[in-house]
Amino acid sequence: MSVTVETAARTAPAAVIVGIDGPSGTGKSSTSKAVAAKLGLRYLDTGAQYRAITWWMLNNGIDVRDAAAVADAAGKPSLVSGTDPAAPTITVDGQDAAGPIRTQEVTAAVSAVSAVPEVRARLTELQRGIAADGPRGIVVEGRDIGTTVLPDADVKIFLTASAEARAARRSGELSGKDRADLAATQAALVKRDAADSGRKTSPLAKADDAVEVDTTELTLNQVIECVVTLIEEKRTA
Ligand SMILES: Nc1ncnc2c1ncn2[C@@H]1O[C@H](COP(=O)(O)OP(=O)(O)OP(=O)(O)O)[C@@H](O)[C@H]1O
Ligand SMILES: Nc1ccn([C@@H]2O[C@H](COP(=O)(O)O)[C@@H](O)[C@H]2O)c(=O)n1
């Protein structure tokens, strides 16, 4: 019996930790979910957590431009992320926040909230706990996963794409009046990236040991295959 247990322990694939970073609209969420589902890994959307804490601040009358007020409130909301790639979830104080965190109001405010060190410290600790809590490994996507949250990740990917391609992808998700407003979509993306790259604490950045994948000319399936191959290579190395 003990021989069987030892054999199983030796042959079980080690949990793999994957960090996927990049600017807005490069395909992090779509790629990360699909890769996690294909490889039987968990999935964590850290952007959803920053959006969720921003939503809570807005709902509770906190001025998101007042960094001291945001810092004081950073520990108050209870955030829970579900990590099934087929159905990721996010709740704030027990309330489903998946829909409300995607509004324009939250998108416009999130960079100010995510620049506050106390917010980042809280969410980084939460993210590390989730990544460590499970046998199967995980794909974690965000802006600072490779540099700060999981610097020892087994595989680090940094997705990029031209601003034009990213705006076109985002506009494809919209309809009616919004769809026509490609230039405004692009300007908003570029503005958010500049704020995320320019903050002092764990800015959006490529880790030195991350593999950069320019997705401008790639289909989503090509990007998914590319990332799966990089992970499989690492697993068999
Ligand atoms: N390689 C690709 N080719 C065409 N469309 C793509 C590609 N990758 C992603 N998309 C589409 O672009 C849109 C944005 O993708 P996604 O939400 O995955 O990006 P993201 O990097 O997670 O963005 P954000 O950081 O703003 O959350 C989605 O509609 C997605 O289907
Ligand atoms: N690791 C991360 C992830 C996200 N952010 C901030 O959240 C915003 C929303 O992220 P999306 O991926 O949902 O677009 C993003 O613009 C950042 O301000 C972060 O700081 N760190």
Side-chain angles (χ1 to χ4, degrees), residues 92-104:
V92 181
D93 294 338
Q95 196 181 342
D96 180 7
I101 64 170
R102 304 289 163 193
T103 60
Q104 282 303 322

Side-chain angles (χ1 to χ4, degrees), residues 191-216:
K191 186 177 170 199
R192 188 147 62 96
D193 291 342
D196 292 341
S197 305
R199 68 177 173 238
K200 283 205 178 97
T201 309
S202 57
L204 160 65
K206 175 185 168 299
D208 290 340
D209 53 349
V211 177
E212 183 166 334
V213 179
D214 184 345
T215 72
T216 308

Side-chain angles (χ1 to χ4, degrees), residues 21 24-25 28-29 45-48 50-51 102 107 110-112 114-115 120 127 141-145 149 170 192 196 199 202:
D21 291 303
S24 180
K28 299 181 300 296
S29 299
D45 178 357
T46 63
Y50 283 98
R51 286 173 179 274
R102 304 289 163 193
T107 302
V110 66
S111 291
S114 69
R120 301 208 72 79
Q127 291 154 10
E141 60 132 321
R143 303 292 190 290
D144 62 338
I145 309 307
V149 178
R170 277 272 174 258
R192 188 147 62 96
D196 292 341
R199 68 177 173 238
S202 57

Side-chain angles (χ1 to χ4, degrees), residues 22-31 45 51 102 141 143 159 166 169-170 172-173 189 192 215-216 218-221 223:
S24 180
T26 49
K28 299 181 300 296
S29 299
S30 323
T31 305
D45 178 357
R51 286 173 179 274
R102 304 289 163 193
E141 60 132 321
R143 303 292 190 290
L159 298 183
R166 294 186 288 125
R169 291 172 188 173
R170 277 272 174 258
E173 291 174 345
L189 282 175
R192 188 147 62 96
T215 72
T216 308
L218 301 179
T219 65
L220 179 55
N221 276 339
V223 181

Side-chain angles (χ1 to χ4, degrees), residues 104-195:
Q104 282 303 322
E105 189 190 12
V106 170
T107 302
V110 66
S111 291
V113 172
S114 69
V116 175
E118 287 79 0
V119 170
R120 301 208 72 79
R122 180 169 182 222
L123 292 190
T124 297
E125 190 187 353
L126 181 66
Q127 291 154 10
R128 286 179 179 154
I130 294 168
D133 180 28
R136 289 180 290 127
I138 191 163
V139 181
V140 184
E141 60 132 321
R143 303 292 190 290
D144 62 338
I145 309 307
T147 56
T148 305
V149 178
L150 301 169
D152 297 327
D154 300 298
V155 179
K156 297 182 189 178
I157 313 283
F158 193 80
L159 298 183
T160 62
S162 71
E164 290 76 13
R166 294 186 288 125
R169 291 172 188 173
R170 277 272 174 258
S171 294
E173 291 174 345
L174 304 172
S175 60
K177 181 178 172 296
D178 289 334
R179 187 171 190 141
D181 210 349
L182 190 60
T185 301
Q186 186 170 326
L189 282 175
V190 169
K191 186 177 170 199
R192 188 147 62 96
D193 291 342

Side-chain angles (χ1 to χ4, degrees), residues 8-58:
R10 268 205 312 273
T11 55
V16 65
I17 306 288
V18 181
I20 301 189
D21 291 303
S24 180
T26 49
K28 299 181 300 296
S29 299
S30 323
T31 305
S32 300
K33 269 188 274 193
V35 167
K38 271 191 175 216
L39 299 180
L41 304 175
R42 292 174 298 135
Y43 161 69
L44 178 62
D45 178 357
T46 63
Q49 296 178 326
Y50 283 98
R51 286 173 179 274
I53 203 164
T54 301
W55 180 62
W56 184 90
M57 298 277 169
L58 293 168

